């Protein structure tokens, strides 16, 4: 619900702060007083075009701030999705700034937002209905949702069936495209799979081969060094043999002097360490020994792996996965029509489910259309539209227009005269008739929710007397369920208001300003009398105003 509207420097309004409450609020004033400026300002706050022409002459910028009570859970979720934080239980503030030199900015709860987001949330905040409004009830694109809401139809099964059908169709299309592409490359695919299967690459194989190759190449390089070391240690002339000979000689003379005994002990230790070194050398030679043919085979294998990887533009470790992928493609190609036939069956089953759910929804819409037509018809006579007829058209859509909302086109149509053909609401020539049709339809749809604030802009234009009274009675009835603001020239409508705002224009000779003030009871009587009699308010007009206020 709209609770406050603050306007600064918009056209003729210098500064204006308005508070709004529940029920029916009426806005009146003489022609040209600036009632449209209020609606323009509200429209600006709700994402309307930020025209610099709205900025009051001499001001740097125009600012409009609209305050609404706590947003619904759905609206709060939408704002959260767009990065706007909303504290639970807190009001919603929408502010729009338009600069005189062009450009505009938007804020929601003092957080920067786009005008696009304002326009997206606007339908959940305020519905504006006027003779030239091309949104809301006059826009056929919203008629299907209005009918579904009126009938409380659950469109969930159709939406889910539609998504299932789309997924099945996508899978079939992908499979057909893959088979078509694979069929063009079948010869290459068969050759590639054959090559890779013959090569049989394994993950990590390249690194293992490269490491083994490095070890064998290193062994070849140190083989000569190992042979030289063995010659120094082994054989009759080797170092170990000479140490053993020295030990035998020392054994004979070691008893002759302590130093000789120590020398014998040192030589014995050297023999032991030398023997250990000899064993380690033998172990290393055994470990480093390799078959030259194995080195050649490893090098050839490594070359094949790397060449194959370059050919397919992948890393050698990815060859095994590539082999499996290409083999799977070839298998799917060979499976061919069998796989396609299965997917076609899935599409057929999903289509049948969708059509069944859509048929159920269509039947519900046709039944609801009859109830809505009857409800609107019941509102036409009091609004002096006795000869008019209203109907809700529920027609099938072409398959290319099917969606998660079903396969129906829904549009509200009217015929204003006996024998005249039905036509869309927007084709009605008379503005007064259109306004009354909108009101009748809105009354019929009133219990179905929507925005918590509705604005009717001069919906009573061109009517008076009993028709204006009927309009006022229906507006008051609507206002019992939602906040309703009405710009009116009709005293019968004005008398129904729970709150009455007077819009007036004043000039000091140099500057003209538009102001708005809430009328007390006595002031309401005088304003309604003015609406009845014109410039000169008569006692008779005041008496008639009293009667209107008493019966409202």
């Amino acid at each position: 619900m709209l609770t406050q509207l603050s306007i600064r420097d918009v056209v003729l309004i210098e500064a204006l702060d308005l508070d709004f409450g529940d029920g029916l609020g009426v806005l009146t004033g003489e022609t040209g007083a600036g009632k449209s400026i209020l609606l323009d300002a509200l429209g600006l706050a709700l994402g309307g075009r930020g025209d610099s022409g709205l900025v009051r002459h001499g001001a740097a910028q125009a600012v409009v701030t609209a305050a609404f009570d706590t947003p619904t859970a759905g609206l709060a979720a939408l704002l959260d999705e767009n990065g706007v934080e909303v504290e639970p239980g807190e009001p919603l503030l929408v502010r729009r700034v338009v600069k005189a030199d062009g450009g505009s900015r938007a804020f929601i709860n003092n957080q920067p937002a786009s005008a696009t987001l304002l326009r997206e949330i606007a339908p959940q905040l305020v519905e504006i209905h006027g003779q030239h409004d091309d949104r809301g009830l006059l826009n056929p694109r919203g008629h299907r949702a209005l009918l579904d809401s009126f009938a409380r139809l659950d469109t969930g099964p159709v939406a889910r069936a539609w998504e299932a059908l789309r997924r099945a169709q996508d899978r079939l299309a992908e499979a057909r495209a893959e088979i078509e592409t694979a069929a063009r490359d079948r010869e290459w695919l068969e050759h590639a799979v054959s090559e890779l299967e013959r090569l049989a690459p394994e993950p990590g194989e390249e690194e293992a081969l490269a490491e083994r190759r490095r070890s064998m190449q290193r062994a070849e390089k140190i083989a000569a060094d190992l042979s030289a070391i063995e010659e120094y240690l082994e054989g009759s002339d080797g170092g170990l043999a000479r140490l053993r000979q020295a030990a035998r000689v020392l054994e004979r003379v070691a008893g002759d002097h302590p130093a000789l005994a120590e020398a014998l002990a040192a030589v014995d230790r050297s023999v032991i360490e030398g023997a250990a070194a000899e064993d380690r050398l033998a172990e290393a030679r055994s470990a480093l020994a390799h078959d030259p043919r194995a080195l050649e085979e490893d090098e050839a294998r490594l070359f094949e792996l790397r060449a194959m990887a370059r050919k397919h533009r992948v890393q050698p470790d990815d060859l095994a996965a590539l082999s499996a992928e290409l083999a799977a493609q070839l298998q799917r190609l060979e499976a061919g029509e069998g796989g396609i036939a299965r997917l076609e069956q899935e599409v057929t089953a999903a289509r049948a489910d969708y059509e069944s759910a859509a048929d159920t929804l269509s039947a519900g819409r046709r039944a609801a259309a009859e109830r809505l037509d009857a409800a609107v018809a019941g509102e036409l006579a009091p609004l002096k539209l006795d000869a008019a007829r209203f109907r809700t058209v529920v027609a099938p859509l072409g398959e290319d227009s099917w969606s998660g909302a079903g396969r129906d086109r829904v549009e509200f149509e009217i015929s204003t005269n006996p024998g005249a053909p039905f036509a869309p609401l927007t084709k009605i020539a008379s503005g007064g008739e259109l306004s009354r049709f909108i009101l009748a339809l809105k009354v019929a749809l009133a219990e179905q929710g929507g925005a918590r604030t509705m604005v009717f802009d001069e919906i009573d234009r061109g009517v008076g007397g009993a028709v204006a009274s009927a309009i006022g009675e229906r507006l008051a009835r609507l206002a019992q369920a939602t906040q309703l603001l009405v710009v009116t020239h009709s005293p019968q409508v004005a008398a129904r208001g729970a709150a009455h705002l007077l819009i007036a224009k004043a000039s000091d000779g140099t500057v003209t300003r538009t102001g708005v003030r809430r009328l007390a009871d006595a002031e309401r009587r005088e304003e309604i009398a003015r609406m009845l009699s014109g410039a000169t308010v008569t006692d008779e007009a005041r008496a008639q105003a009293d009667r209107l206020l008493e019966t409202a």
Side-chain angles (χ1 to χ4, degrees):
M1 183 179 75
L2 178 66
T3 58
Q4 292 179 320
L5 183 64
S6 174
I7 304 173
R8 296 292 183 272
D9 296 319
V10 175
V11 193
L12 298 178
I13 298 176
E14 184 175 10
L16 184 63
D17 296 293
L18 296 174
D19 293 325
F20 298 95
D22 295 334
L24 177 60
V26 296
L27 295 87
T28 66
E30 295 182 357
T31 301
K35 295 185 291 296
S36 62
I37 300 176
L38 277 177
L39 298 185
D40 289 342
L42 180 58
L44 181 65
L46 296 173
R49 181 182 176 185
D51 190 345
S52 60
L54 291 172
V55 181
R56 187 174 64 86
H57 179 69
Q61 63 182 23
V63 182
V64 180
T65 303
F68 298 87
D69 57 8
T70 305
T72 63
L75 179 54
L78 174 61
L79 291 171
D80 184 64
E81 289 174 6
N82 286 273
V84 177
E85 296 181 3
V86 179
E87 293 294 332
E90 291 297 315
L92 184 69
L93 296 178
V94 178
R95 178 160 54 95
R96 190 81 181 278
V97 180
V98 178
K99 296 182 179 180
D101 57 0
S104 69
R105 292 176 296 161
F107 302 87
I108 300 177
N109 283 3
N110 293 320
Q111 301 167 63
S114 66
T116 300
L117 179 58
L118 292 185
R119 288 191 291 272
E120 189 173 355
I121 68 172
Q124 299 188 49
L125 296 172
V126 179
E127 290 182 24
I128 299 178
H129 300 290
Q131 297 181 53
H132 306 295
D133 184 23
D134 59 356
R135 299 162 295 173
L137 297 179
L138 297 187
N139 188 346
R141 287 179 294 181
H143 292 176
R144 184 169 60 190
L146 286 170
L147 179 63
D148 290 346
S149 178
F150 171 79
R152 294 184 173 86
L153 294 174
D154 181 9
T155 60
V158 173
R160 290 188 291 272
W162 173 251
E163 286 303 315
L165 175 58
R166 290 293 301 275
R167 287 194 297 270
Q169 290 173 332
D170 289 344
R171 288 194 297 269
L172 177 59
E174 289 171 5
R176 283 174 171 165
E178 185 176 287
I179 287 177
E180 182 180 347
T181 301
R184 291 196 300 266
D185 301 328
R186 184 184 188 111
E187 184 177 346
W188 174 87
L189 190 60
E190 289 176 339
H191 174 72
V193 169
S194 176
E195 268 190 332
L196 288 167
E197 288 180 346
R198 186 169 58 254
L199 183 63
E202 297 179 1
E205 184 180 7
E206 183 212 18
E207 181 59 30
L209 287 171
E211 180 58 33
R212 197 160 66 216
R213 178 191 180 209
R214 284 192 294 270
S215 296
M216 287 190 287
Q217 289 175 335
R218 180 62 181 162
E220 283 186 338
K221 290 181 181 179
I222 67 174
D225 293 333
L226 292 177
S227 297
I229 292 170
E230 287 179 347
E231 289 180 4
Y232 293 143
L233 292 177
E234 299 175 357
S236 58
D237 293 331
L240 279 175
R242 290 180 178 275
L243 282 172
R244 291 187 180 101
Q245 290 174 0
R248 285 194 294 271
V249 174
L250 280 171
E251 285 178 351
R252 292 196 296 271
V253 299
D256 295 334
H257 194 279
L260 292 174
E262 293 175 0
L264 175 59
V267 170
D268 285 341
R269 288 195 299 272
S270 297
V271 170
I272 292 171
E273 292 295 330
E278 192 175 39
D279 290 341
R280 299 286 82 75
L281 284 169
E283 182 180 338
R285 177 182 287 277
S286 176
L288 294 172
H290 67 277
D291 184 350
R293 287 177 299 179
L295 176 58
E296 292 178 0
E297 290 173 357
D298 282 358
E299 287 183 330
R301 176 69 175 176
L302 193 57
F303 175 79
E304 281 187 296
L305 284 173
R306 289 175 174 172
M308 188 67 72
R310 287 193 299 273
K311 180 177 181 179
H312 290 284
R313 299 180 181 179
V314 297
Q315 294 299 317
D317 277 351
D318 295 331
L319 284 173
L322 176 64
S323 178
E325 180 184 342
L326 295 181
Q329 286 185 22
L330 183 59
Q331 186 177 10
R332 287 195 295 270
L333 176 61
E334 291 171 345
E337 295 304 321
I340 293 295
R342 178 181 57 80
L343 291 174
E344 287 176 340
Q345 290 174 356
E346 291 180 3
V347 170
T348 299
R351 182 188 177 93
D353 290 343
Y354 172 74
E355 290 184 349
S356 175
D359 284 344
T360 300
L361 181 59
S362 297
R365 283 171 174 160
R366 288 191 293 271
E370 293 180 2
R371 297 197 302 274
L372 179 60
D373 293 351
V376 174
E379 297 294 332
L380 296 180
L383 295 174
K384 296 301 182 285
L385 292 170
D386 311 65
R389 292 175 297 157
F390 172 88
R391 74 178 182 186
T392 304
V393 176
V394 180
L397 287 168
E399 187 169 344
D400 57 344
S401 297
W402 292 2
S403 70
R407 48 183 188 173
D408 303 310
R409 176 183 67 84
V410 176
E411 185 169 1
F412 302 145
E413 294 184 345
I414 57 174
S415 169
T416 55
N417 296 297
F422 280 92
L425 292 175
T426 52
K427 301 299 183 182
I428 299 177
S430 167
E433 287 181 335
L434 177 57
S435 298
R436 282 176 279 159
F437 261 112
I438 290 175
L439 180 58
L441 183 54
K442 194 62 191 178
V443 169
L445 294 169
E447 296 181 358
Q448 311 316 313
R452 289 184 288 178
T453 298
M454 286 189 291
V455 178
F456 282 91
D457 180 17
E458 299 187 358
I459 198 168
D460 48 13
R461 178 186 292 271
V463 300
V467 178
S469 295
I471 291 175
E473 187 275 329
R474 277 151 182 79
L475 289 172
R477 192 196 313 170
L478 271 180
Q480 293 174 3
T482 187
Q483 182 188 48
L484 196 62
L485 302 176
V486 180
V487 176
T488 180
H489 289 284
S490 168
Q492 291 89 342
V493 173
R496 293 278 184 173
H500 192 147
L501 299 176
L502 176 63
I503 304 170
K505 186 165 58 175
S507 175
D508 60 7
T510 58
V511 178
T512 300
R513 296 180 177 87
T514 289
V516 181
R517 62 187 180 89
R518 184 183 295 270
L519 299 181
D521 290 344
E523 293 174 315
R524 286 192 67 192
R525 171 178 177 261
E526 197 69 11
E527 171 61 9
I528 293 173
R530 181 200 63 78
M531 297 171 72
L532 286 165
S533 62
T536 301
V537 180
T538 64
D539 290 339
E540 182 181 354
R542 292 187 180 96
Q544 189 174 354
D546 287 335
R547 288 192 293 273
L548 287 176
L549 288 168
E550 289 171 0
T551 59

